Amino acid sequence: MNSVILQVASKYVKWLLVVFALIALYRGHNFPGGGFIGGLLVGLSVIFSSLAYDAQRARNSLKIQPEGYIALGLLTIFLSILPGVFLKQYFMAGVWTSIHIPFLGVIKLGTPFLFDIGVFFAVIGVTLMSFFTFSNIMKWK
Amino acid sequence: MQTLLLVYLVSAFLPFIFAGKLKKAIPFFLAFVHFGAFAYFFSKIERIGNGDILRETIPWVPQLGINFDLVLNGLSIAFALLITGTGVLVFLYAHAYMKSYKNLGVFYFYLFLFSAAMLGLVLSGNLIQLFVFWELTSYLSFLLISFFHEKESARNAAFQSLYLTGFGGLVMVAGIILLGSVVGSYSVSDWVVNAEILRAHQFYLPGLMLIFVGVFTKSAQFPFHFWLPGAMQAPTPVSSYLHSATMVKAGIFMLALLSPILGGTSAWTYTLTLTGAITMFMGAYFAITQTDIKAILAYTTISSLGVLVLLLGIDTALSVKAAMLFLFVHAFYKAALFMIAGFIDKKTGTRDWRNLGGLARSMPITFVFAVLASLSMAGLPPMLGFLGKELIYEAKVQSPVIAPYVLVLGVAGNALMIAVALFFLFKVFLGKAKNQVQIKVKTDWAYIIGPGILALLSLFFGLFPAFLGETIVEPALISILKRDYNVELKLWHGFNTVFFLSLFTVFLGFILFYVAYTRDSVLVKWRAFNQRIFSVRFVDVFNNLLKGFLSFSKRKTELVQHGYHRFYILTIFLVASIFLWYQVYVTIGWNLDNVFTLRPFYVSGLVLVIIISTIFSMVSKSRIATIITMGVAGYGIALLFMYYSAIDLAITQIIVETLILVMFVLILQRLPLFARLSSKTTRLRDLFIALSFGSAMTVLALKSINVNFNHPISDFMIENSYTKAYGQNVVNVILVDFRALDTLGEVTVLVVAALGVFVLLKTKKT
Amino acid sequence: MNAIALPIFIPFILIFVMVAVRNSRAAQLISVLGSTLLFVVSLYLFISLKDTKILTLNMGSWEAPFGISLVLDYFSGLMLVTASLIVLCLSVYTIYFMDDEHRNNMFYVFFFSLTMGVNGAFLTGDAFNLYVWFEVILISSFVLITLGNSKQQLEGGIKYLALNLIGSMFFLAGLGLLYGKTGTLNMAHLAHILRASEQPVLINTSAALFFMAFGIKAALFPLFFWLPASYHTANISVTSIFAGLLTKVGVYVLIRFFTLFFVQDQVFWLNLFLIIAGFTMVVGGMAASSHYDTRRILSYHIISQIGYMIMGLGIYTPLAIAGAIFFTIHNMIAKTNIFLVSGMINRSKGSFYLKDIGGLFKQSPILAILFILPAFALAGVPPLSGFFAKFILIKAGIEAGQYLIVAVAIATAMLTLYSMIKIWNEAFLKKAPESSEVEPYFKKPGFPELLPSVILGAASLLMGLFAATVFGYTMVAAEQLLVPTHYIESVLNGLNP
Amino acid sequence: MEIVLAILIGVLYTAGVYMLLRRSILKFIIGIIFLSNATNLLVFISSGIIAGQPAFVDGTTPSPNNLSDPLPQALVLTAIVIGFGIVVFTLALKFKFFETTGTDDLDQLQQTDN
């Protein structure tokens, strides 16, 4: 599918999707969205661009390989589990802190948010990995 | 006693520790252990004779009533002496006999462990403990019989013996548990106390019969007798031990143990006397037509076991006395004769009497012992066997129930035994020398010492029976009868019915022997006759049953596990529909409050679109159309979620649907077109099943909607989502905070699935 | 008790590590160390049950029934310890019996995700969470069974996958209905509500759905097709893992659910269990006796043994439930062990097919002993573990007056004996067939390869010798199951919403 | 409306089971998708559906009565994602199987039984 329109469109749509995804991730705790939706959206964006060009190219343009995303996601999830044990005596307990960021105001950050980020990365990795494998181009290192 | 059993257990492992030159000393050492045990029991005779009972209890699983109850009373000491005493001789004999074979360590290990198990069995004061040892003897004898395991016949015989005795054991334990549930204990002494209750209980008959099955299989009673002749595949020392003092005597021990508890009823008496009498006659009848001398001996063992069962079945003081005496009689002569048979086998290389003859000249001492043992077997004076037989006749004559039939069978059986004994002597030892001793055996004495001692014991006790009678048989009898009883044994009883019966039997036996001896053709014809009349051999029946069962199961398995994947699914959904409809039917009390309405129409329209695209996807022949309509249905469901205010759900559903569609399209290019593979009837059938399941689910859904809602959990979540978890989107808060563990598992599923896809598609086929 | 979560998180960390580690030596080492840690933790947890009998952990500090609780009672504790012992043994075994291809394929990732799922299923006190763990188990086993990509494995994999997917679909549907009825997912809370509720309208239909779901997982009679179609195709290490853990999770959940929730209309369910148990035993046993491939014999035999466990559930007395638990533990150990040994037989002789092999008794007496331990344990020879397992069940059956099922159980024991003796006779006692192509190559297994089997064999023996202790635990577990007030109270912590 | 939805569930289940019983593996997978959709829907509606406000709260609206129940939504979301993972794997398995054997016919799968 090397249609020019699609290629041009994909460039924008792709970034649009990624931005959407990040917003979904960030706002997920308060508005529709969250790690799953965000991760799936990013995956969709990469798939979209590879439909426009080809999968190999889309893959090369990735900064982190799918398995990297998976590992990153699992690690983040694991890290989000720990603070609860040490600070609240329960696994997975939410630990919150608020920080003040200029222009955005007070933001509450907590381990559930970290957990959501982990899910986000893991889902990206999973989507990409299965997609690339289906596209039959993936090589292990 | 526990120390003793422990010593046995530890000593059993010695064959593996002894190495090099010490290896030869193993049997001596083990015989010595047996001797030590024998001496130990012997030293206790007096105390036991005075009515003492030695008891040791080690709890094992007390909650289930399973304990190690070691009891030494008159009954168990009699058996223990027999086991250890014979054990000494068997191991000495084995030293000579087994020399030329390999894997001796394993052999002695099995054999010694076997004797330990047997000893444990007779010392058991708890029936489950007894069963444990019972099973151990079964399994160990399996290993012993299959010792020459490269012979198929040995494997088969071992399998048969294990299968029958194992089966009997399991059935017996069911009986024990059944009766145990009446008493609430498995301890023999508790059973004795509650004997009256047991005999009156409705479980008595079934429990008794179950236990009898165990006893009959173990003690080779008709119709389970056929494994015993097969068991001669074992090395001869094993046979002589198995047939005389151990294994088959376990059943007898069990009967003796239970007779004060369960005995005395007509069920007990009739079953045992009948079975015993048939077995007794049949064993003797078949013994005479055998050609292998070990087989002859095996059949006479069956006959003797029949006698023992019969006597315990008659269940009078006299008959039990006869049984206890005959136990010793049989053990002495049977062990001796088996050892002699093994010796002959070693010397001449054959066990077929048709190839043997005139051995008296080359093995005179053996001949003397053989004569003594055979006379004892035939029940002729002055041997112990004569005493035994007299007592048996006496018991039979006085037996209260079916004396005439028992007597007829008894006389016939005994006459046959006399004939067999004489025949054995004359054919093998006298007459023309057919087969000279070919094989030189270095240590003749080691072969003869065992049978020699046993044969001399038979003679000695025949002449001076008082010791045996008063110190061993009497305590045993007392512990069986549970009352005092004075045992006096005499060789000469005077002219009475029994004496004339004996005389008649001897006369009959001699005639039989004479006929068989002088005319070879008689036995040949007899054998042919037997083969024609009793064309059904039990071994074959067993094998055929087994074979039939196996092919039956193979067919059934192929029927169930046929390999047609669709039918597996079909079965599952069929079962599910039946279940669900049944449950719907049972819980019919449901009333629909919901009114059928199509409002709002746009939702109804959406549902209609989903339904139509689903059906289209079902029947379409085009792959693309199928997949696209499937997608439409998926998106439609997402919109439904949206309508019912599940925003996150709708978004997820849409993205997931898209991803699945993309992947479908990706692999679709490589796949073949749909082919219409199934016929119209198949499709109709499938549709019917699908419909029955689908409609059941519809009903379930309707019912579930109808239930009152009460959601304490989600109310809590809604209330605390913002205040405690700092999130406005409750669904997301649930996912990452309230129920984060679910999400953790979910991510794991995704990761594993992705890696699985990768592994599956990356690797080449192997 | 935060440690309760460790049996789930330790494998989770190991998954992460195994994704990252590419060196197979290092992976082996880490897997052995990790599973040792897992075993120690499980043992510690089990021992710390002593005081309170039930331990709970509310994940994320959300009180039950609002969050997810992990619950450790004696039943789950026993299963957990047994499972982690098996995992430990297998992580050693796989070093020697996994070919390199599989190892490169990140076998350990799937191995530990399976472990994680199994531990999670044992520990969780939340019905939906249980579903998630079931899915973790499911997807891991899908991957494991197809690892190697042979045609046979793909075939077996498709059947396995299809039927198990249907099973989890039933599970989810049943959960939905249950939630709709009760509004809660916490198992203790569910039990509390269902015991109080009067209208069993939906409970029975969800019970039917759950029965289908777990019946498929546990390979009960009309639903077991996936097991014999797939188990024998996978690598022997994988089959051993499956034999030890998978169907038993199904049995665990069946026992858990039908003692905790579905106490209404019990007569119907218990009778059904007895009927199904009988058929499962006999059909499995018959099929096992008619085969000549070790793995197939043993696979069918798994089914037959599941029948005993369900029989215990069907009799439904404390003794019977204790017997079922005892049997499950015994079976997990002995069954895994016998698969391990059959793997070694295959390694030594080059075939699983009994007609092609023989003469092992002479070649490797150690292997013979290692085979005899689990085989005799399975056949129920005293004093090994299987004897007590069967004894308790038969005793319970007789005392409850269920004579028919006891008769079936005894007949099945004979079938088991036949299958075991068949393998013994053919593989060990018989002379190796001369015409066979795989002969005469024979590789003597080294000690480290035998170690897992030695450990499991010793476990079978010790379980028999110290049956009193183990039975004591199972009895406590059974009482906890049958009278779940303590369970409900401990989990809900006195809370009564 | 609930009745209509219940019928929809029935149709989806029927379609799913019917597709599972076909011989083509592809249809089989489509059947799985239908089944999981049907199950999700069942879970969703059996816990009570309200066409109204989605479950968003802030400090001021703590009255749960007119909000839709968020818990089944979360459950179904989890189920959808899990289903996604499994369907993807099934597709891969199907593809590999076809690549290895060259057939899409489930009736050819008889080697591993008996």
Side-chain angles (χ1 to χ4, degrees):
Chain A
M1 276 191 277
N2 281 326
S3 112
V4 181
I5 305 166
L6 200 62
Q7 285 178 4
V8 174
S10 82
K11 207 172 261 174
Y12 298 102
V13 173
K14 179 183 157 191
W15 286 113
L16 202 64
L17 280 172
V18 170
V19 169
F20 259 143
L22 287 174
I23 290 173
L25 170 68
Y26 170 67
R27 298 186 352 143
H29 218 53
N30 296 325
F31 300 97
F36 278 117
I37 293 175
L40 289 171
L41 277 176
V42 172
L44 209 56
S45 79
V46 176
I47 290 171
F48 196 71
S49 71
S50 56
L51 286 183
Y53 299 94
D54 60 66
Q56 187 62 55
R57 187 165 159 184
R59 175 147 198 218
N60 292 342
S61 70
L62 285 180
K63 298 284 177 294
I64 306 174
Q65 294 303 303
E67 65 270 23
Y69 279 111
I70 289 180
L72 190 62
L74 292 181
L75 185 66
T76 318
I77 288 176
F78 179 63
L79 289 180
S80 81
I81 291 168
L82 293 178
V85 189
F86 298 116
L87 298 175
K88 283 196 167 178
Q89 277 80 48
Y90 280 102
F91 266 116
M92 291 187 145
V95 176
W96 292 88
T97 159
S98 9
I99 45 166
H100 185 81
I101 294 179
F103 308 113
L104 290 171
V106 178
I107 294 179
K108 277 192 146 328
L109 283 181
T111 49
F113 187 59
L114 196 62
F115 186 84
D116 219 8
I117 294 173
V119 174
F120 175 72
F121 282 126
V123 172
I124 293 177
V126 166
T127 323
L128 294 185
M129 190 175 220
S130 29
F131 174 72
F132 286 134
T133 318
F134 272 117
S135 311
N136 216 7
I137 49 140
M138 186 140 173
K139 303 264 170 346
W140 192 263
K141 296 236 158 126
Chain B
M1 279 175 284
Q2 36 179 303
T3 338
L4 190 72
L5 281 183
L6 214 63
V7 168
Y8 263 80
L9 187 64
V10 173
S11 310
F13 287 92
L14 284 178
F16 300 118
I17 300 165
F18 281 21
K21 284 208 165 170
L22 271 176
K23 245 186 172 143
K24 280 190 180 157
I26 296 170
F28 291 117
F29 184 84
L30 295 178
F32 181 73
V33 175
H34 266 309
F35 183 74
F38 182 77
Y40 168 82
F41 288 119
F42 202 80
S43 70
K44 298 280 184 242
I45 282 184
E46 206 176 335
R47 281 185 62 190
I48 302 295
N50 292 337
D52 273 7
I53 293 174
L54 298 183
R55 234 176 235 290
E56 283 168 30
T57 303
I58 316 160
W60 191 6
V61 192
Q63 304 104 308
L64 292 173
I66 306 174
N67 293 313
F68 261 111
D69 251 340
L70 299 176
V71 174
L72 193 65
N73 57 17
L75 178 65
S76 53
I77 203 169
F79 275 90
L81 283 171
L82 206 55
I83 292 163
T84 49
T86 325
V88 176
L89 301 177
V90 164
F91 272 88
L92 287 179
Y93 181 77
H95 159 72
Y97 187 90
M98 297 301 291
K99 241 179 209 166
S100 53
Y101 300 105
K102 276 184 196 159
N103 264 343
L104 283 186
V106 178
F107 173 77
Y108 286 120
F109 173 70
Y110 291 161
L111 189 60
F112 199 72
L113 217 53
F114 175 75
S115 44
M118 201 57 212
L119 201 58
L121 196 155
V122 298
L123 293 177
S124 300
N126 181 303
L127 287 166
I128 299 298
Q129 173 201 359
L130 186 144
F131 167 77
V132 168
F133 286 118
W134 180 286
E135 288 291 272
L136 282 179
T137 57
S138 293
Y139 283 91
L140 285 164
S141 67
F142 163 77
L143 293 171
L144 282 168
I145 295 170
S146 64
F147 183 70
F148 298 126
H149 54 77
E150 288 179 352
K151 277 199 294 183
E152 200 184 344
S153 58
R155 288 201 304 272
N156 285 344
F159 170 73
Q160 263 173 28
S161 84
L162 175 62
Y163 216 64
L164 276 176
T165 52
F167 166 73
L170 276 176
V171 173
M172 185 179 82
V173 82
I176 292 173
I177 296 174
L178 191 67
L179 291 177
S181 71
V182 176
V183 181
S185 160
Y186 302 117
S187 157
V188 178
S189 48
D190 288 346
W191 282 37
V192 171
V193 173
N194 293 308
E196 293 286 324
I197 303 171
L198 271 175
R199 281 197 294 262
H201 199 272
Q202 51 162 339
F203 287 164
Y204 171 71
L205 196 64
L208 187 71
M209 289 304 144
L210 291 174
I211 291 176
F212 277 172
V213 172
V215 168
F216 290 171
T217 50
K218 195 81 168 181
S219 285
Q221 296 298 300
F222 176 85
F224 306 113
H225 60 277
F226 56 90
W227 68 266
L228 191 59
M232 69 185 184
Q233 295 285 348
T236 303
V238 178
S239 310
S240 84
Y241 203 29
L242 225 68
H243 283 246
S244 62
T246 57
M247 186 74 176
V248 293
K249 293 291 165 65
I252 305 301
F253 174 77
M254 185 76 184
L255 285 181
L257 191 69
L258 292 179
S259 82
I261 305 165
L262 305 176
T265 62
S266 51
W268 171 280
T269 311
Y270 282 111
T271 316
L272 288 186
T273 43
L274 199 68
T275 316
I278 293 174
T279 312
M280 168 183 71
F281 177 74
M282 192 203 55
Y285 179 82
F286 283 109
I288 200 158
T289 57
Q290 299 300 315
T291 54
D292 182 333
I293 49 180
K294 265 180 100 174
I296 296 178
L297 293 174
Y299 277 101
T300 58
T301 304
I302 294 177
S303 177
S304 309
L305 290 169
V307 171
L308 284 168
V309 169
L310 167 67
L311 289 174
L312 287 168
I314 295 172
D315 205 25
T316 57
L318 201 63
S319 77
V320 176
K321 181 170 88 175
M324 290 328 288
L325 186 67
F326 189 65
L327 186 74
F328 285 89
V329 171
H330 176 244
F332 289 160
Y333 76 70
K334 192 49 59 68
L337 284 178
F338 259 111
M339 289 179 188
I340 290 171
F343 187 37
I344 293 172
D345 185 14
K346 276 274 150 160
K347 280 256 185 187
T348 62
T350 178
R351 293 194 312 234
D352 193 328
W353 61 257
R354 288 173 295 191
N355 300 329
L356 290 166
L359 286 177
R361 252 157 290 158
S362 45
M363 344 168 50
I365 308 171
T366 316
F367 173 60
V368 173
F369 293 147
V371 169
L372 290 176
S374 303
L375 287 182
S376 194
M377 174 160 100
L380 295 175
M383 306 302 294
L384 187 61
F386 174 68
L387 256 130
K389 197 196 60 186
E390 294 290 291
L391 265 181
I392 292 167
Y393 274 160
E394 209 177 324
K396 284 175 186 166
V397 168
Q398 296 179 1
S399 81
V401 271
I402 37 177
Y405 310 100
V406 169
L407 260 184
V408 170
L409 282 175
V411 169
N414 263 325
L416 280 165
M417 287 291 258
I418 292 171
V420 169
L422 292 174
F423 194 81
F424 173 71
L425 278 181
F426 277 75
K427 274 293 177 192
V428 175
F429 286 97
L430 302 175
K432 255 192 288 172
K434 280 185 188 160
N435 191 338
Q436 285 309 314
V437 176
Q438 294 164 333
I439 301 156
K440 282 254 184 285
V441 178
K442 253 191 272 170
T443 45
D444 279 2
W445 63 270
Y447 285 97
I448 304 174
I449 189 162
I453 290 175
L454 289 166
L456 289 175
L457 274 177
S458 288
L459 179 64
F460 175 80
F461 285 133
L463 296 171
F464 311 103
F467 173 74
L468 188 66
E470 277 156 30
T471 51
I472 296 175
V473 174
E474 192 177 301
L477 213 55
I478 290 171
S479 64
I480 296 176
L481 298 173
K482 305 286 169 211
R483 63 182 160 90
D484 269 347
Y485 190 84
N486 199 20
V487 176
E488 257 183 88
L489 294 179
K490 287 178 297 189
L491 204 53
W492 177 245
H493 282 264
F495 295 99
N496 52 16
T497 339
V498 173
F499 178 75
F500 290 113
L501 263 179
S502 278
L503 218 57
F504 177 64
T505 314
V506 171
F507 174 68
L508 216 63
F510 269 95
I511 291 179
L512 249 172
F513 158 70
Y514 183 75
V515 172
Y517 183 68
T518 47
R519 288 183 212 161
D520 283 349
S521 62
V522 173
L523 271 183
V524 175
K525 272 182 194 153
W526 196 344
R527 215 170 291 133
F529 171 77
N530 275 353
Q531 268 163 10
R532 199 147 1 106
I533 299 296
F534 303 104
S535 57
V536 184
R537 289 176 62 224
F538 281 88
V539 182
D540 294 340
V541 172
F542 176 81
N543 286 336
N544 286 336
L545 272 179
L546 195 68
K547 220 183 268 167
F549 176 76
L550 287 186
S551 68
F552 171 76
S553 356
K554 200 166 170 56
R555 261 179 291 133
K556 280 282 165 278
T557 309
E558 276 159 14
L559 203 69
V560 175
Q561 196 73 30
H562 40 64
Y564 285 99
H565 180 66
R566 302 179 286 139
F567 291 105
Y568 297 158
I569 299 177
L570 197 121
T571 317
I572 284 179
F573 278 107
L574 208 59
V575 173
S577 318
I578 292 170
F579 260 132
L580 290 177
W581 275 115
Y582 173 76
Q583 290 296 351
V584 168
Y585 169 76
V586 168
T587 55
I588 197 82
W590 50 303
N591 46 339
L592 274 181
D593 294 338
N594 306 70
V595 210
F596 183 81
T597 165
L598 289 176
R599 278 169 209 288
F601 288 117
Y602 55 92
V603 179
S604 311
L606 183 60
V607 170
L608 193 66
V609 169
I610 300 174
I611 290 178
I612 289 172
S613 48
T614 307
I615 293 173
F616 188 78
S617 168
M618 247 167 91
V619 295
S620 167
K621 285 179 204 166
S622 145
R623 297 177 305 172
I624 290 291
T626 307
I627 287 166
I628 286 178
T629 43
M630 178 198 80
V632 170
Y635 288 129
I637 291 168
L639 289 180
L640 268 182
F641 286 148
M642 186 86 90
Y643 173 73
Y644 287 105
S645 54
I647 315 288
D648 290 75
L649 208 51
I651 299 173
T652 315
Q653 168 86 359
I654 287 171
I655 303 175
V656 163
E657 204 64 42
T658 313
L659 282 171
I660 289 179
L661 277 181
V662 168
M663 301 214 181
F664 253 109
V665 172
L666 273 180
I667 73 161
L668 208 58
Q669 304 154 5
R670 313 276 204 92
L671 292 179
L673 297 172
F674 285 157
R676 181 139 284 186
L677 291 166
S678 21
S679 69
K680 202 168 178 181
T681 40
T682 319
R683 271 179 280 141
L684 268 177
R685 179 201 62 198
D686 292 350
L687 188 65
F688 173 74
I689 287 171
L691 265 177
S692 70
F693 182 74
S695 51
M697 292 312 272
T698 301
V699 175
L700 284 195
L702 279 177
K703 281 177 137 191
S704 74
I705 293 165
N706 207 26
V707 172
N708 294 332
F709 298 116
N710 173 28
H711 299 156
I713 309 284
S714 35
D715 292 350
F716 172 88
M717 285 167 178
I718 289 171
E719 275 162 25
N720 293 294
S721 172
Y722 191 73
T723 47
K724 287 194 185 152
Y726 314 107
Q728 292 172 2
N729 182 355
V730 187
V731 175
N732 185 266
V733 172
I734 292 173
L735 284 177
V736 298
D737 201 345
F738 289 123
R739 300 183 64 86
L741 195 61
D742 279 352
T743 312
L744 183 80
E746 185 188 346
V747 169
T748 315
V749 171
L750 282 182
V751 167
V752 171
L755 292 176
V757 169
F758 175 72
V759 166
L760 197 65
L761 293 185
K762 189 206 75 171
T763 43
K764 292 280 163 285
K765 56 185 159 186
T766 49
Chain C
M1 263 322 261
N2 266 307
I4 301 177
L6 285 179
I8 298 175
F9 288 135
I10 292 173
F12 183 74
I13 303 166
L14 288 172
I15 295 173
F16 165 71
V17 173
M18 292 299 174
V19 173
V21 171
R22 297 261 61 83
N23 180 334
S24 67
R25 276 275 154 221
Q28 288 162 13
L29 188 68
I30 294 169
S31 98
V32 173
L33 287 179
S35 41
T36 314
L37 182 65
L38 187 63
F39 180 64
V40 171
V41 168
S42 311
L43 213 57
Y44 164 73
L45 281 172
F46 186 74
I47 291 166
S48 48
L49 271 178
K50 207 170 179 180
D51 299 325
T52 53
K53 308 286 184 208
I54 289 178
L55 293 173
T56 60
L57 170 68
N58 295 328
M59 295 302 285
S61 78
W62 299 108
E63 273 176 24
F66 306 116
I68 293 173
S69 319
L70 300 183
V71 188
L72 186 78
D73 63 356
Y74 266 97
F75 185 25
S76 47
L78 282 168
M79 299 295 278
L80 188 67
V81 170
T82 320
S84 38
L85 175 67
I86 288 170
V87 167
L88 174 59
C89 289
L90 275 162
S91 67
V92 177
Y93 188 78
T94 44
I95 296 177
Y96 302 98
F97 287 86
M98 221 31 184
D99 23 295
D100 287 332
E101 167 121 24
H102 291 124
R103 229 177 260 131
N104 293 339
N105 290 344
M106 306 183 292
F107 162 76
Y108 288 108
V109 174
F110 309 120
F111 178 56
F112 282 111
S113 62
L114 184 72
T115 311
M116 180 183 175
V118 170
N119 287 348
F122 288 151
L123 283 174
T124 190
D126 187 281
F128 188 79
N129 197 232
L130 182 66
Y131 168 76
V132 173
W133 295 127
F134 259 87
E135 296 295 309
V136 173
I137 295 172
L138 206 59
I139 189 81
S140 316
S141 52
F142 290 162
V143 181
L144 282 174
I145 211 162
T146 51
L147 218 58
N149 284 350
S150 74
K151 187 170 170 255
Q152 283 229 323
Q153 282 181 310
L154 293 174
E155 267 195 49
I158 285 182
K159 286 176 189 170
Y160 178 88
L161 182 141
L163 300 180
N164 277 289
L165 273 186
I166 295 170
S168 45
M169 189 270 300
F170 282 122
F171 189 0
L172 188 57
L175 264 183
L177 297 183
L178 205 57
Y179 177 77
K181 164 79 177 119
T182 59
T184 186
L185 290 167
N186 184 297
M187 278 156 48
H189 196 201
L190 273 172
H192 176 73
I193 292 176
L194 293 182
R195 268 155 206 275
S197 103
E198 307 235 316
Q199 44 170 160
V201 181
L202 269 179
I203 309 311
N204 267 334
T205 39
S206 14
L209 285 168
F210 283 127
F211 173 75
M212 289 301 295
F214 305 138
I216 292 174
K217 305 272 176 200
L220 295 185
F221 163 58
L223 316 166
F224 62 65
F225 312 107
W226 55 273
L227 195 150
S230 59
Y231 265 28
H232 60 96
T233 58
N235 179 296
I236 191 72
S237 318
V238 172
T239 315
S240 313
I241 301 167
F242 285 12
L245 299 180
L246 285 196
T247 47
K248 278 64 180 184
V249 179
V251 173
Y252 168 85
V253 182
L254 264 179
I255 294 180
R256 178 69 84 196
F257 271 36
F258 279 84
T259 52
L260 204 54
F261 305 153
F262 304 117
V263 285
Q264 291 146 337
D265 199 9
Q266 219 169 20
V267 182
F268 169 77
W269 287 111
L270 297 186
N271 285 332
L272 183 78
F273 282 139
L274 284 179
I275 294 167
I276 285 193
F279 274 108
T280 310
M281 281 187 233
V282 171
V283 173
M286 275 168 60
S289 58
S290 69
H291 274 288
Y292 267 94
D293 179 324
T294 0
R295 286 174 306 176
R296 282 178 202 261
I297 295 176
L298 296 177
S299 301
Y300 276 110
H301 192 250
I302 294 176
I303 298 172
S304 151
Q305 304 280 296
I306 296 290
Y308 283 94
M309 305 169 199
I310 301 307
M311 164 186 165
L313 179 59
I315 297 170
Y316 207 75
T317 58
L319 189 66
I321 301 279
I325 298 171
F326 198 107
F327 198 101
T328 312
I329 298 170
H330 137 74
N331 198 251
M332 285 166 84
I333 292 173
K335 199 84 229 184
T336 312
N337 195 3
I338 203 161
F339 267 104
L340 298 185
V341 177
S342 79
M344 289 190 264
I345 294 175
N346 177 49
R347 182 69 156 321
S348 313
K349 309 296 284 188
S351 172
F352 282 108
Y353 198 59
L354 285 176
K355 286 182 175 164
D356 290 346
I357 56 179
L360 263 173
F361 189 75
K362 264 193 184 155
Q363 286 168 321
S364 176
I366 291 192
L367 213 52
I369 296 168
L370 287 182
F371 174 80
I372 263 202
L373 273 174
F376 276 16
L378 287 171
V381 180
L384 296 167
S385 53
F387 162 67
F388 287 100
K390 282 182 187 159
F391 175 79
I392 298 168
L393 283 175
I394 290 177
K395 183 175 155 77
I398 286 179
E399 286 177 359
Q402 305 283 6
Y403 304 114
L404 195 64
I405 193 76
V406 169
V408 174
I410 288 177
T412 310
M414 292 316 291
L415 291 177
T416 305
L417 183 62
Y418 176 78
S419 319
M420 293 302 147
I421 296 296
K422 176 149 96 183
I423 301 178
W424 172 251
N425 269 349
E426 299 280 330
F428 287 89
L429 296 188
K430 183 183 73 185
K431 248 188 195 160
E434 280 153 22
S435 58
S436 164
E437 291 166 15
V438 284
E439 288 298 322
Y441 105 93
F442 175 75
K443 223 169 122 193
K444 246 196 166 78
F447 181 69
E449 297 170 45
L450 299 175
L451 189 65
S453 179
V454 171
I455 294 174
L456 290 176
S460 283
L461 184 65
L462 291 178
M463 215 177 133
L465 292 179
F466 298 99
T469 321
V470 183
F471 175 71
Y473 290 136
T474 57
M475 204 63 199
V476 177
E479 279 155 10
Q480 282 181 340
L481 285 172
L482 289 181
V483 185
T485 17
H486 185 49
Y487 180 91
I488 295 171
E489 276 168 15
S490 321
V491 175
L492 297 183
N493 202 11
L495 208 68
N496 204 353
Chain D
M1 202 61 235
E2 285 87 352
I3 297 176
V4 178
L5 287 179
I7 292 169
L8 174 62
I9 288 172
V11 170
L12 284 173
Y13 268 116
T14 310
V17 175
Y18 181 78
M19 293 297 258
L20 282 186
L21 293 173
R22 309 270 51 81
R23 279 165 68 173
S24 152
I25 303 179
L26 201 62
K27 285 195 176 179
F28 171 83
I29 298 173
I30 294 169
I32 291 281
I33 293 173
F34 276 136
L35 275 189
S36 71
N37 272 334
T39 311
N40 291 341
L41 210 55
L42 178 70
V43 175
F44 186 67
I45 73 159
S46 71
S47 56
I49 40 173
I50 298 170
Q53 281 195 310
F56 289 95
V57 292
D58 50 35
T60 57
T61 53
S63 115
N65 287 333
N66 49 4
L67 293 182
S68 60
D69 188 349
L71 188 54
Q73 294 184 22
L75 302 187
V76 174
L77 205 154
T78 310
I80 288 176
V81 177
I82 288 177
F84 167 66
I86 285 174
V87 166
V88 168
F89 182 77
T90 318
L91 270 175
L93 182 59
K94 190 261 160 303
F95 181 72
K96 188 73 192 178
F97 181 72
F98 176 71
E99 201 182 67
T100 315
T101 60
T103 178
D104 187 41
D105 186 358
L106 277 167
D107 278 11
Q108 308 281 326
L109 269 76
Q110 285 181 50
Q111 259 102 62
T112 62
D113 298 67
N114 292 312

